[in-house]
Amino acid sequence: RHYFAAAAASYPSVFKPACGEHGEGVAIVRSEREAEALIAEGGGRGGWVLQELVRGRREVSLSLLLREGEVVTGVRTVYVYEEAEYVWPRVREDVAQRASEPVSSSDAEVVVLAKLLAGYTGVCNLNYKRRPDGSPVVFEVNARIGADLACDVPPPLLRAFLLAVDQGVALARAGGAAGRMDGAAAPLESDDDSDDALP
């Protein structure tokens, strides 16, 4: 849930600048008074966001390539942290439990999340947690390559994702902008298990 006024929020909540990166200015607030104090301080460049604090040690980062709202390819990375309430990057990750996997347009969770991106073309990164019933709770959406792809996804999966992006760009330049890119996208798999530098 997102709140438009401190008085309407449930606490604890997460307060963050509407524009920002790398957890700068983000705080867990435990009362209306704390939220009001941050709002009074300016709340960050471009406004502020007050949203539900979703507890849990597991966080998911989903990077998708879409064409007119249709999922072409994607990668899901699951992170496990030492605390159930945290603001990244001010928390320790259990790196041994990190896992990345390719996703397809038929993945049930991807089908639900892609509805948020109806009509969108490009790369999009969503960060979310899962409620005890398994339903996703999205707390961040960015129309860009996320840190998961830039830093954490194994090179073979990253390589396949970027090849799909390249093929989509080539298709659009060749005049195929009206069609879906499904046939043009490389499968998000690789026989190369090495961690060699990407081309």
Side-chain angles (χ1 to χ4, degrees):
R1 288 188 224 152
H2 289 84
Y3 307 105
F4 298 99
S10 297
Y11 293 93
S13 286
V14 176
F15 179 92
K16 58 184 173 181
C19 298
E21 60 182 308
H22 211 68
E24 183 179 341
V26 179
I28 295 174
V29 291
R30 303 203 175 274
S31 69
E32 180 180 343
R33 176 178 280 169
E34 285 182 44
E36 290 289 359
L38 290 171
I39 293 167
E41 290 174 13
R45 302 178 310 268
W48 52 272
V49 175
L50 187 61
Q51 62 191 40
E52 172 186 6
L53 172 66
V54 182
R55 293 176 179 87
R57 295 178 54 227
R58 292 185 182 276
E59 182 174 323
V60 183
S61 183
L62 179 66
S63 289
L64 297 174
L65 173 62
L66 300 104
R67 175 76 180 145
E68 297 177 5
E70 299 289 329
V71 175
V72 176
T73 195
V75 179
R76 176 173 35 228
T77 302
V78 177
Y79 299 89
V80 180
Y81 296 103
E82 291 184 358
E83 305 291 332
E85 291 183 9
Y86 59 86
V87 171
W88 185 89
R90 300 183 300 270
V91 64
R92 297 185 89 180
E93 179 192 355
D94 183 348
V95 179
Q97 292 194 56
R98 183 190 303 159
S100 295
E101 64 180 352
V103 297
S104 71
S105 60
S106 62
D107 179 290
E109 194 169 77
V110 171
V111 169
V112 170
L113 294 170
K115 290 178 182 180
L116 298 171
L117 306 168
Y120 177 75
T121 297
V123 174
C124 191
N125 177 256
L126 299 98
N127 294 96
Y128 59 97
K129 289 187 176 182
R130 296 179 181 120
R131 293 195 188 281
D133 68 2
S135 61
V137 180
V138 177
F139 51 87
E140 195 163 322
V141 178
N142 294 293
R144 60 168 168 74
I145 289 178
D148 60 325
L149 281 178
C151 304
D152 301 330
V153 169
L157 288 178
L158 175 58
R159 184 178 296 112
F161 187 92
L162 294 177
L163 284 172
V165 171
D166 283 349
Q167 290 174 353
V169 170
L171 179 66
R173 286 184 179 157
R180 291 177 56 190
M181 295 186 332
D182 295 317
L188 199 52
E189 299 175 7
S190 173
D191 295 331
D192 178 10
D193 293 329
S194 71
D195 287 340
D196 296 338
L198 295 172

